Amino acid sequence: MKTLLVLGAGTAGTMIAKKMASKLDKNQWKVILVDKDTKHYYQPGFLFVPFGKYEEKHVIKNNRQYIPAGIEYVISNIELIEPDANQVRLTLDNRVIKYDYLIVATGCDIHPEETEGLKGEGWRKNIFDFYTYDGAAALRKFLDRWEGGRMVVNVVENPIKCPVAPLEFLFLADWVFTQRGIRNKVELVYATPLPGAFTKPKASAALGALLARKNIQIEADYNIGEVDPVNNVIKSYDEREVPYDLLVSIPTNKGSDLIKRSGMGDALNFIPTDKHTLQSTKWQNVWVTGDATNIPASKAGATIHFQMETVVENMLAHIHGKEMHSKFDGHATCYIETGFNKATLIDFSYDQEPLPGMYPMPLVGPFTLLGESTINHIGKLAFRYLYWDLMMRGIEVPLPSQFSMAGKKK
Amino acid sequence: MATKKVKGVAYEVNDEGFLVDPTTWTKEYAVEAAKEEGLEELTETHWKVIDFARQSAATAGGASPTLRTITDGAAITTKDLFALFPKGPAKKVAKIAGLKKPEGCV
Ligand SMILES: Cc1cc2nc3c(=O)[nH]c(=O)nc-3n(C[C@H](O)[C@H](O)[C@H](O)COP(=O)(O)OP(=O)(O)OC[C@H]3O[C@@H](n4cnc5c(N)ncnc54)[C@H](O)[C@@H]3O)c2cc1C
């Protein structure tokens, strides 16, 4: 018997374990999936929690229901990966699993302790995150009673998962505070290390215009050096001080500590990965997918969906001693909530920045790229059903993996 | 594509002003590129960072180092790095060192 070992049962690990199990010969292969707990988080839903739009039941489910009987599902902390010895050490019973092929899908998490003062006395008092369920739920309690003031949303450093989430958070805040009748008492500020609202020029201009229209100030090229929780100000490395009453932070995102312990990552514990084949650049029988990689693509669930085909085809080719043909093109599709029951959409790849137009079909869409519409908002909300009922159940989502220029205007 | 002339030598740069071929880089080019980024003078510490960035890229398939790679590798604090190359140090260092635009942010 041969073993395919999958580490991490989040978005990527759960999907790839099932896809590979359905392709590999059951008489020759055993598929093992390991995660530290059975809680599965629908992270895109965290955005809606602080505003009371989603509850715990919408965003946390027991992962067991998504794992078919043919896969050995082990609940344990993963202690160490020893890729040179083709084995992994678990905490539970000190078990050592030998593998023939390994897929690492251990994601990434926030690290507020990386920024001086961030996790100090203001943490969870008037400083919050919404990248964890606990953070989002605590922020909801705070916002339920908030009467207004200066809210600063700060991205500490890039890359972060779902790079548009901070913008969406601001757009939703603008909408919810308007509904609550306190928008005139709230100042909204976006402090970002980027030179504008987004990385790529066309999307940056379109999203920048939206920020201006909604009266959200932007503090660009802002690299936070420290938080002063006594005086409620953040300070950048170039000594710009931004005062806040409420700080919503997107702290440094880092790959799992396991990657560091195992000596497999870069400075932020992301694993060096071939951006086209998704194979580890160092170990031939190791693949990396999802937020754990260092590839220059968006860290997003939609991107993971587009990566699956490449991982499956290339691993199978490699297992059978054939040439690998499948190339991931960096395809990402992100719905961006803009408030007032509207959303916009961006669709892009390694080589092509987001452009205006229609998606996925030219002219008919139904979704509009870089333009606001209600149907985009419905698409965003539908993503939750798509996620739990199709992606996690291993049912094909009818969106092509390959990026396409059809419907886009240069 | 455009060309940039420095002391009679033409360098090919892309639309965003990054050198197309890192092997065509020279110290004279760096001095000129630094001026365009608002750095009138390159000190010894600036050069330490630039040299490190070029070495790092050479071992990383041409990829420009991230901010963290620079602070870890060139033994310099983030604060000092921002003082040397204000605003976006990773991008500025890449531009001056004749490397590609850092891929870090998507
Ligand atoms: C606020 C927010 C909004 C978002 N919005 C969107 C959106 O609108 N659209 C979109 O497409 N994406 C969005 N995303 C991103 C998306 O949720 C992630 O990209 C995706 O979930 C990553 O999947 P993954 O499998 O790589 O990692 P994860 O789903 O995080 O899974 C990693 C797993 O590895 C396990 N693990 C790690 N280390 C160990 C260890 N040592 N031992 C045992 N287990 C371990 C963890 O327990 C976890 O279950 C958003 C994310 C956030 C935070």
Side-chain angles (χ1 to χ4, degrees):
Chain A
M1 261 326 234
K2 288 189 177 141
T3 299
L4 167 66
L5 177 58
V6 181
L7 302 181
T11 311
T14 301
M15 286 205 286
I16 197 67
K18 273 200 289 212
K19 283 192 193 287
M20 288 305 293
S22 72
K23 300 276 179 189
L24 292 169
D25 183 346
K26 285 178 188 52
N27 300 316
Q28 289 181 27
W29 285 87
K30 182 171 161 167
V31 177
I32 307 177
L33 175 64
V34 191
D35 199 302
K36 60 176 175 287
D37 67 58
T38 55
K39 271 190 189 165
H40 190 121
Y41 298 92
Y42 173 60
Q43 299 173 37
F46 294 174
L47 172 70
F48 297 97
V49 171
F51 303 107
K53 295 188 185 292
Y54 282 1
E55 309 279 341
E56 186 174 325
K57 64 169 191 256
H58 298 121
V59 296
I60 307 179
K61 298 202 186 219
N62 189 315
N63 207 39
R64 274 195 199 281
Q65 61 188 304
Y66 302 111
I67 313 296
I71 295 174
E72 185 188 340
Y73 184 28
V74 182
I75 306 305
S76 166
N77 177 52
I78 304 155
E79 195 63 48
L80 199 66
I81 309 173
E82 298 175 314
D84 291 326
N86 297 315
Q87 65 182 29
V88 166
R89 293 181 184 277
L90 306 189
T91 310
L92 184 75
D93 304 330
N94 295 322
R95 180 171 168 190
V96 178
I97 303 178
K98 290 248 171 213
Y99 62 79
D100 295 282
Y101 279 81
L102 178 72
I103 301 176
V104 186
T106 43
C108 68
D109 270 313
I110 57 161
H111 287 265
E113 73 284 358
E114 289 278 333
T115 306
E116 206 183 313
L118 185 54
K119 229 180 163 179
E121 54 193 90
W123 186 248
R124 300 260 163 108
K125 287 205 187 90
N126 65 339
I127 302 179
F128 296 88
D129 79 277
F130 67 97
Y131 267 51
T132 56
Y133 177 73
D134 290 351
L139 179 52
R140 179 195 170 158
K141 278 201 184 130
F142 179 91
L143 286 180
D144 278 348
R145 292 188 313 264
W146 202 42
E147 286 167 3
R150 188 174 154 95
M151 179 174 108
V152 175
V153 175
N154 173 241
V155 174
V156 169
E157 67 181 297
N158 285 303
I160 57 169
K161 36 188 168 185
C162 196
V164 293
L167 286 170
E168 298 185 273
F169 185 86
L170 283 155
F171 294 146
L172 281 177
D174 167 64
W175 178 35
V176 169
F177 296 146
T178 303
Q179 281 180 325
R180 292 182 187 172
I182 58 165
R183 182 62 181 93
N184 58 352
K185 294 188 198 130
V186 175
E187 228 183 311
L188 295 176
V189 183
Y190 183 38
T192 166
L194 295 177
F198 195 66
T199 43
K200 314 280 160 98
K202 287 210 171 66
S204 189
L207 294 167
L210 264 181
L211 286 173
R213 210 180 78 211
K214 292 175 190 288
N215 194 16
I216 300 168
Q217 302 159 42
I218 177 162
E219 192 74 47
D221 290 314
Y222 192 87
N223 290 281
I224 190 170
E226 64 174 294
V227 180
D228 175 351
V230 177
N231 297 304
N232 292 331
V233 320
I234 53 174
K235 293 178 189 157
S236 66
Y237 283 113
D238 55 2
E239 266 139 48
R240 276 184 284 159
E241 297 198 351
V242 175
Y244 62 83
D245 295 309
L246 164 61
L247 175 63
V248 177
S249 172
I250 294 86
T252 301
N253 281 214
K254 284 167 88 171
S256 175
D257 282 340
L258 161 71
I259 304 307
K260 184 176 186 174
R261 289 197 292 276
S262 308
M264 293 174 76
D266 63 15
L268 286 168
N269 306 344
F270 293 119
I271 306 172
T273 307
D274 184 294
K275 72 178 191 177
H276 293 299
T277 65
L278 302 175
Q279 189 179 26
S280 144
T281 54
K282 202 160 167 200
W283 295 278
Q284 289 251 325
N285 58 343
V286 177
W287 262 259
V288 193
T289 174
D291 294 350
T293 74
N294 77 334
I295 61 173
S298 279
K299 295 196 182 298
T303 311
I304 294 172
H305 165 69
F306 297 134
Q307 286 178 357
M308 290 294 109
E309 201 175 295
T310 300
V311 177
V312 171
E313 285 180 14
N314 286 343
M315 281 197 92
L316 289 176
H318 197 268
I319 287 169
H320 295 121
K322 294 194 189 123
E323 217 180 299
M324 298 190 280
H325 288 300
S326 187
K327 285 200 161 120
F328 177 61
D329 59 4
H331 191 184
T333 304
C334 307
Y335 288 96
I336 307 170
E337 271 298 287
T338 53
F340 301 90
N341 294 319
K342 290 207 166 91
T344 179
L345 176 66
I346 54 177
D347 185 57
F348 57 110
S349 71
Y350 289 141
D351 303 323
Q352 183 56 60
E353 65 161 316
L355 295 173
M358 300 299 274
Y359 182 81
M361 287 175 286
L363 299 174
V364 283
F367 303 115
T368 39
L369 295 165
L370 276 183
E372 274 190 288
S373 74
T374 308
I375 183 100
N376 286 344
H377 167 68
I378 293 169
K380 173 94 192 181
L381 295 186
F383 191 56
R384 175 159 64 91
Y385 299 99
L386 214 83
Y387 187 89
W388 291 122
D389 298 333
L390 300 183
M391 287 165 72
M392 286 308 114
R393 295 201 185 282
I395 300 168
E396 266 332 296
V397 179
L399 283 178
S401 298
Q402 219 69 31
F403 175 82
S404 159
M405 274 304 285
K408 298 189 173 69
K409 295 188 213 105
K410 275 252 181 194
Chain B
M1 296 294 169
T3 49
K4 193 191 297 210
K5 269 223 157 126
V6 183
K7 295 199 171 148
V9 185
Y11 297 85
E12 214 184 327
V13 295
N14 70 14
D15 299 344
E16 291 180 276
F18 289 88
L19 192 63
V20 174
D21 178 0
T23 61
T24 59
W25 180 87
T26 59
K27 296 217 160 181
E28 290 73 35
Y29 175 89
V31 171
E32 186 59 30
K35 283 204 178 111
E36 285 171 23
E37 294 295 321
L39 304 177
E40 280 311 316
E41 213 195 311
L42 291 178
T43 63
E44 210 175 298
T45 336
H46 283 105
W47 283 112
K48 187 175 101 180
V49 173
I50 295 166
D51 289 342
F52 169 77
R54 288 192 55 85
Q55 275 167 24
S56 160
T59 56
S64 298
T66 62
L67 208 139
R68 268 173 193 275
T69 316
I70 299 173
T71 51
D72 288 0
I76 182 166
T77 67
T78 315
K79 200 169 171 74
D80 290 344
L81 190 60
F82 271 91
L84 288 169
F85 302 91
K87 293 205 165 169
K91 193 169 154 190
K92 275 196 181 154
V93 171
K95 223 172 209 178
I96 297 168
L99 305 170
K100 282 191 236 167
K101 184 177 176 178
E103 281 187 324
C105 34
V106 205

